[in-house]
């Protein structure tokens, strides 16, 4: 197989063209628009569907499908009745660091909007991952995640009331929960994480401000303290078009 000299390591092999050489018409249009996106700056408008269909000699529905995929991939975004070039995705490290720390490292301003802070008896399904017995009190902290005031995710944290008894009185919902725990002398030891691709529920899509069909990255995390005792259970939902995740692996 021949590879172009300018083939980027992370790009699809042979730009995604099958060995038989036949590609869907929309994909050829998508590739051309993708190159155009690379030449424009963030926030720049792209030509209208009508203009693109005339330039490339294809039907508007073909252009529409190409644009739809580029929006889902996070390369374009809708603005009013038009479409503009999206900014780079936020890179969140897969580590025992807070969302706040990850966003700040990229020069963005993190924020959170409180959805709810509830206290309820721990159910069986949650007991093992929080180190509680059934019926013991547990906090549920739910917040919308922001980056430069843009809604980019939704986070649910479960933690034993016994570990943070004054969470409702002392904690600023717009601040880092991990920084709050460290301030209480609670040190993280390790965690287990699982990542999957999902679609948001209607409620989640409304809170994040996205279409229900937009793919989401869902992270489940169960963290333990330095003594190995369960500390928190987190369910974090991130926009698939605005986030990527990184990890440093060692052999």
């Amino acid at each position: 197989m021949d590879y172009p000299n300018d083939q980027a390591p992370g790009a699809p092999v042979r730009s995604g063209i099958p060995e038989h050489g036949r590609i869907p018409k929309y994909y050829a249009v998508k590739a051309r628009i993708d190159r155009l996106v690379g030449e424009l700056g963030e926030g720049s408008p792209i030509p209208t569907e009508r203009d693109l269909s005339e330039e490339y000699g294809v039907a508007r529905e073909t252009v529409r499908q190409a644009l739809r995929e580029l929006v889902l991939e996070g390369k374009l975004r809708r603005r009013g009745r038009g479409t503009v070039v999206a900014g780079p995705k936020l890179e969140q490290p897969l580590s025992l660091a807070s969302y706040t720390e990850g966003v700040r490292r990229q020069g963005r301003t993190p924020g959170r909007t409180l959805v709810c802070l509830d206290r309820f008896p721990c159910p069986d399904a949650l007991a093992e991952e929080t180190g509680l017995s059934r019926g013991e009190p547990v906090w549920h902290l739910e917040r919308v995640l922001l980056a430069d005031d843009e809604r980019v995710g939704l986070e649910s944290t479960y933690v034993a009331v016994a570990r943070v008894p004054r969470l409702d009185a002392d904690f600023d919902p717009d601040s880092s929960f991990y920084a709050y725990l460290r301030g209480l002398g609670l040190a993280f030891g390790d965690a287990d994480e699982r990542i999957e691709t999902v679609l948001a529920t209607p409620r989640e899509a409304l809170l994040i401000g996205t279409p229900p069909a937009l793919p989401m990255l869902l992270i489940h995390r169960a963290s333990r303290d330095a003594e190995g005792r369960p500390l928190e259970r987190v369910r974090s939902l991130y926009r698939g078009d605005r986030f990527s995740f990184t990890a440093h692996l060692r052999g």
Side-chain angles (χ1 to χ4, degrees):
M1 180 184 296
D2 295 328
Y3 291 87
N5 291 331
D6 60 351
Q7 175 77 50
V13 176
R14 294 184 58 199
S15 299
I17 300 174
E19 272 62 29
H20 55 56
R22 297 187 299 275
I23 63 172
K25 186 175 294 185
Y26 86 89
Y27 189 88
V29 172
K30 175 185 172 183
R32 296 180 70 176
I33 298 175
D34 196 12
R35 287 194 294 271
L36 175 63
V37 167
E39 299 169 359
L40 300 173
E42 179 180 351
S44 298
I46 66 166
T48 64
E49 291 180 3
R50 174 182 295 177
D51 290 342
L52 289 171
S53 65
E54 291 178 356
E55 180 178 352
Y56 300 145
V58 297
R60 289 183 64 175
E61 180 55 39
T62 301
V63 171
R64 192 172 296 124
Q65 183 176 356
L67 294 176
R68 189 181 303 123
E69 290 200 359
L70 289 169
V71 168
L72 288 174
E73 291 175 4
K75 296 178 179 179
L76 296 175
R77 61 190 310 179
R78 304 295 187 186
R79 178 179 293 173
R81 300 184 64 181
T83 305
V84 301
V85 176
K89 290 188 178 184
L90 289 160
E91 293 186 359
Q92 189 74 349
L94 292 173
S95 63
L96 271 172
S98 71
Y99 167 80
T100 299
E101 295 164 352
V103 172
R104 280 180 176 161
R105 272 198 294 266
Q106 297 169 76
R108 307 286 292 276
T109 301
R112 295 175 175 85
T113 300
L114 180 66
V115 178
C116 65
L117 176 56
D118 301 321
R119 172 176 170 160
F120 57 88
C122 185
D124 289 333
L126 190 61
E128 182 177 352
E129 293 184 331
T130 54
L132 294 174
S133 300
R134 181 178 180 275
E136 287 190 63
V138 63
W139 291 115
H140 170 224
L141 172 66
E142 185 179 35
R143 297 179 292 174
V144 175
L145 303 176
L146 308 173
D148 291 342
D149 294 325
E150 177 189 12
R151 289 179 285 175
V152 293
L154 184 67
E155 182 181 77
S156 285
T157 301
Y158 301 88
V159 61
V161 171
R163 306 299 294 270
V164 286
R166 292 182 53 82
L167 184 65
D168 58 339
D170 297 341
F171 177 63
D172 177 5
D174 190 33
S175 65
S176 167
F177 182 62
Y178 281 18
Y180 174 74
L181 293 180
R182 288 194 291 266
L184 296 176
L186 295 172
F188 283 91
D190 65 342
D192 294 317
E193 285 192 335
R194 175 166 57 88
I195 304 176
E196 57 183 311
T197 304
V198 299
L199 296 178
T201 66
R203 175 180 179 271
E204 290 168 338
L206 182 63
L207 287 170
I208 302 173
T210 59
L214 180 71
M216 297 281 180
L217 296 169
L218 174 61
I219 293 187
H220 300 274
R221 173 184 286 185
S223 305
R224 291 169 288 274
D225 63 19
E227 285 73 44
R229 296 178 299 169
L231 182 54
E232 62 159 2
R233 168 66 161 86
V234 183
R235 182 185 189 275
S236 300
L237 192 66
Y238 297 94
R239 288 178 54 163
D241 64 334
R242 301 301 296 133
F243 269 91
S244 64
F245 291 90
T246 62
H248 176 68
L249 308 178
R250 303 184 65 176

PDB file of all heavy atoms in Angstrom, residues 2 4-5 17 19 60-61 110 125 164 200 217-218 233-234 244 249:
ATOM      1  N   ASP A   2       0.552   2.203  -0.838  1.00  0.00           N
ATOM      2  CA  ASP A   2       1.306   3.454  -0.898  1.00  0.00           C
ATOM      3  C   ASP A   2       0.673   4.477   0.037  1.00  0.00           C
ATOM      4  O   ASP A   2      -0.549   4.627   0.080  1.00  0.00           O
ATOM      5  CB  ASP A   2       1.299   4.007  -2.328  1.00  0.00           C
ATOM      6  CG  ASP A   2       2.043   3.081  -3.286  1.00  0.00           C
ATOM      7  OD1 ASP A   2       2.996   2.439  -2.829  1.00  0.00           O
ATOM      8  OD2 ASP A   2       1.641   3.005  -4.463  1.00  0.00           O
ATOM      9  N   PRO A   4       0.699   8.574   1.216  1.00  0.00           N
ATOM     10  CA  PRO A   4       1.144   9.920   0.825  1.00  0.00           C
ATOM     11  C   PRO A   4       2.265  10.396   1.738  1.00  0.00           C
ATOM     12  O   PRO A   4       2.277  10.079   2.925  1.00  0.00           O
ATOM     13  CB  PRO A   4      -0.118  10.780   0.999  1.00  0.00           C
ATOM     14  CG  PRO A   4      -1.256   9.812   1.041  1.00  0.00           C
ATOM     15  CD  PRO A   4      -0.707   8.542   1.603  1.00  0.00           C
ATOM     16  N   ASN A   5       3.192  11.144   1.181  1.00  0.00           N
ATOM     17  CA  ASN A   5       4.306  11.630   1.987  1.00  0.00           C
ATOM     18  C   ASN A   5       3.845  12.554   3.102  1.00  0.00           C
ATOM     19  O   ASN A   5       4.526  12.683   4.125  1.00  0.00           O
ATOM     20  CB  ASN A   5       5.319  12.362   1.092  1.00  0.00           C
ATOM     21  CG  ASN A   5       6.042  11.409   0.149  1.00  0.00           C
ATOM     22  OD1 ASN A   5       6.218  10.244   0.483  1.00  0.00           O
ATOM     23  ND2 ASN A   5       6.440  11.901  -1.017  1.00  0.00           N
ATOM     24  N   ILE A  17     -10.045   6.199   2.012  1.00  0.00           N
ATOM     25  CA  ILE A  17     -10.530   5.667   0.730  1.00  0.00           C
ATOM     26  C   ILE A  17     -10.372   4.154   0.718  1.00  0.00           C
ATOM     27  O   ILE A  17      -9.282   3.631   0.960  1.00  0.00           O
ATOM     28  CB  ILE A  17      -9.742   6.283  -0.438  1.00  0.00           C
ATOM     29  CG1 ILE A  17      -9.907   7.804  -0.445  1.00  0.00           C
ATOM     30  CG2 ILE A  17     -10.195   5.697  -1.774  1.00  0.00           C
ATOM     31  CD1 ILE A  17      -9.049   8.507  -1.463  1.00  0.00           C
ATOM     32  N   GLU A  19      -9.901   0.224  -0.530  1.00  0.00           N
ATOM     33  CA  GLU A  19      -8.959  -0.311  -1.514  1.00  0.00           C
ATOM     34  C   GLU A  19      -9.563  -0.388  -2.913  1.00  0.00           C
ATOM     35  O   GLU A  19      -8.847  -0.278  -3.909  1.00  0.00           O
ATOM     36  CB  GLU A  19      -8.473  -1.697  -1.061  1.00  0.00           C
ATOM     37  CG  GLU A  19      -7.245  -1.665  -0.157  1.00  0.00           C
ATOM     38  CD  GLU A  19      -7.497  -0.931   1.161  1.00  0.00           C
ATOM     39  OE1 GLU A  19      -8.661  -0.917   1.640  1.00  0.00           O
ATOM     40  OE2 GLU A  19      -6.535  -0.357   1.712  1.00  0.00           O
ATOM     41  N   ARG A  60     -27.684  19.356  -2.598  1.00  0.00           N
ATOM     42  CA  ARG A  60     -27.565  19.976  -1.281  1.00  0.00           C
ATOM     43  C   ARG A  60     -27.635  18.935  -0.171  1.00  0.00           C
ATOM     44  O   ARG A  60     -27.014  19.108   0.882  1.00  0.00           O
ATOM     45  CB  ARG A  60     -28.660  21.027  -1.097  1.00  0.00           C
ATOM     46  CG  ARG A  60     -28.433  22.268  -1.953  1.00  0.00           C
ATOM     47  CD  ARG A  60     -29.470  23.337  -1.716  1.00  0.00           C
ATOM     48  NE  ARG A  60     -29.435  23.859  -0.352  1.00  0.00           N
ATOM     49  CZ  ARG A  60     -30.184  24.880   0.057  1.00  0.00           C
ATOM     50  NH1 ARG A  60     -31.015  25.472  -0.799  1.00  0.00           N
ATOM     51  NH2 ARG A  60     -30.118  25.311   1.296  1.00  0.00           N
ATOM     52  N   GLU A  61     -28.400  17.866  -0.375  1.00  0.00           N
ATOM     53  CA  GLU A  61     -28.476  16.821   0.652  1.00  0.00           C
ATOM     54  C   GLU A  61     -27.123  16.152   0.854  1.00  0.00           C
ATOM     55  O   GLU A  61     -26.772  15.747   1.966  1.00  0.00           O
ATOM     56  CB  GLU A  61     -29.536  15.777   0.276  1.00  0.00           C
ATOM     57  CG  GLU A  61     -29.685  14.646   1.288  1.00  0.00           C
ATOM     58  CD  GLU A  61     -29.966  15.154   2.699  1.00  0.00           C
ATOM     59  OE1 GLU A  61     -30.724  16.138   2.848  1.00  0.00           O
ATOM     60  OE2 GLU A  61     -29.420  14.557   3.655  1.00  0.00           O
ATOM     61  N   PRO A 110     -12.466  27.272  33.635  1.00  0.00           N
ATOM     62  CA  PRO A 110     -13.451  26.263  34.023  1.00  0.00           C
ATOM     63  C   PRO A 110     -14.551  26.869  34.881  1.00  0.00           C
ATOM     64  O   PRO A 110     -14.382  27.921  35.513  1.00  0.00           O
ATOM     65  CB  PRO A 110     -12.619  25.269  34.843  1.00  0.00           C
ATOM     66  CG  PRO A 110     -11.548  26.126  35.461  1.00  0.00           C
ATOM     67  CD  PRO A 110     -11.238  27.197  34.447  1.00  0.00           C
ATOM     68  N   ALA A 125     -27.134  -0.607  45.110  1.00  0.00           N
ATOM     69  CA  ALA A 125     -26.299  -0.506  43.912  1.00  0.00           C
ATOM     70  C   ALA A 125     -25.119   0.436  44.107  1.00  0.00           C
ATOM     71  O   ALA A 125     -24.101   0.314  43.421  1.00  0.00           O
ATOM     72  CB  ALA A 125     -27.147  -0.042  42.733  1.00  0.00           C
ATOM     73  N   VAL A 164     -17.744  13.885  54.309  1.00  0.00           N
ATOM     74  CA  VAL A 164     -17.855  15.348  54.101  1.00  0.00           C
ATOM     75  C   VAL A 164     -19.184  15.828  54.685  1.00  0.00           C
ATOM     76  O   VAL A 164     -20.098  16.212  53.948  1.00  0.00           O
ATOM     77  CB  VAL A 164     -17.737  15.713  52.604  1.00  0.00           C
ATOM     78  CG1 VAL A 164     -16.298  15.588  52.129  1.00  0.00           C
ATOM     79  CG2 VAL A 164     -18.630  14.811  51.743  1.00  0.00           C
ATOM     80  N   ALA A 200     -26.963  11.103  25.164  1.00  0.00           N
ATOM     81  CA  ALA A 200     -27.532  11.723  26.354  1.00  0.00           C
ATOM     82  C   ALA A 200     -29.025  11.432  26.433  1.00  0.00           C
ATOM     83  O   ALA A 200     -29.712  11.277  25.421  1.00  0.00           O
ATOM     84  CB  ALA A 200     -27.288  13.228  26.331  1.00  0.00           C
ATOM     85  N   LEU A 217     -19.220  11.151  25.602  1.00  0.00           N
ATOM     86  CA  LEU A 217     -18.236  10.296  26.246  1.00  0.00           C
ATOM     87  C   LEU A 217     -18.592  10.220  27.725  1.00  0.00           C
ATOM     88  O   LEU A 217     -18.669  11.239  28.411  1.00  0.00           O
ATOM     89  CB  LEU A 217     -16.827  10.858  26.071  1.00  0.00           C
ATOM     90  CG  LEU A 217     -16.321  10.913  24.628  1.00  0.00           C
ATOM     91  CD1 LEU A 217     -15.034  11.729  24.544  1.00  0.00           C
ATOM     92  CD2 LEU A 217     -16.077   9.516  24.095  1.00  0.00           C
ATOM     93  N   LEU A 218     -18.821   9.008  28.196  1.00  0.00           N
ATOM     94  CA  LEU A 218     -19.241   8.795  29.581  1.00  0.00           C
ATOM     95  C   LEU A 218     -18.111   8.122  30.348  1.00  0.00           C
ATOM     96  O   LEU A 218     -17.599   7.073  29.929  1.00  0.00           O
ATOM     97  CB  LEU A 218     -20.497   7.928  29.624  1.00  0.00           C
ATOM     98  CG  LEU A 218     -20.988   7.493  31.005  1.00  0.00           C
ATOM     99  CD1 LEU A 218     -21.352   8.701  31.868  1.00  0.00           C
ATOM    100  CD2 LEU A 218     -22.175   6.546  30.872  1.00  0.00           C
ATOM    101  N   ARG A 233     -17.811   8.161  44.054  1.00  0.00           N
ATOM    102  CA  ARG A 233     -18.264   7.524  42.818  1.00  0.00           C
ATOM    103  C   ARG A 233     -18.735   8.639  41.903  1.00  0.00           C
ATOM    104  O   ARG A 233     -19.588   9.450  42.292  1.00  0.00           O
ATOM    105  CB  ARG A 233     -19.397   6.540  43.103  1.00  0.00           C
ATOM    106  CG  ARG A 233     -20.149   6.021  41.872  1.00  0.00           C
ATOM    107  CD  ARG A 233     -19.246   5.166  40.992  1.00  0.00           C
ATOM    108  NE  ARG A 233     -19.997   4.325  40.091  1.00  0.00           N
ATOM    109  CZ  ARG A 233     -20.442   4.683  38.883  1.00  0.00           C
ATOM    110  NH1 ARG A 233     -20.217   5.913  38.451  1.00  0.00           N
ATOM    111  NH2 ARG A 233     -21.085   3.833  38.127  1.00  0.00           N
ATOM    112  N   VAL A 234     -18.153   8.733  40.694  1.00  0.00           N
ATOM    113  CA  VAL A 234     -18.453   9.840  39.794  1.00  0.00           C
ATOM    114  C   VAL A 234     -18.944   9.322  38.450  1.00  0.00           C
ATOM    115  O   VAL A 234     -18.398   8.354  37.909  1.00  0.00           O
ATOM    116  CB  VAL A 234     -17.206  10.733  39.576  1.00  0.00           C
ATOM    117  CG1 VAL A 234     -17.563  11.928  38.697  1.00  0.00           C
ATOM    118  CG2 VAL A 234     -16.645  11.206  40.901  1.00  0.00           C
ATOM    119  N   SER A 244     -11.568  15.344  24.062  1.00  0.00           N
ATOM    120  CA  SER A 244     -10.791  14.132  23.839  1.00  0.00           C
ATOM    121  C   SER A 244     -10.064  13.831  25.148  1.00  0.00           C
ATOM    122  O   SER A 244      -9.904  14.721  25.982  1.00  0.00           O
ATOM    123  CB  SER A 244      -9.792  14.311  22.691  1.00  0.00           C
ATOM    124  OG  SER A 244      -8.829  15.310  23.024  1.00  0.00           O
ATOM    125  N   LEU A 249       1.142   6.250  29.162  1.00  0.00           N
ATOM    126  CA  LEU A 249       1.306   4.841  29.502  1.00  0.00           C
ATOM    127  C   LEU A 249       2.779   4.489  29.602  1.00  0.00           C
ATOM    128  O   LEU A 249       3.589   4.953  28.801  1.00  0.00           O
ATOM    129  CB  LEU A 249       0.615   3.959  28.460  1.00  0.00           C
ATOM    130  CG  LEU A 249      -0.845   4.285  28.160  1.00  0.00           C
ATOM    131  CD1 LEU A 249      -1.377   3.361  27.071  1.00  0.00           C
ATOM    132  CD2 LEU A 249      -1.691   4.171  29.410  1.00  0.00           C
TER     133      LEU A 249
END
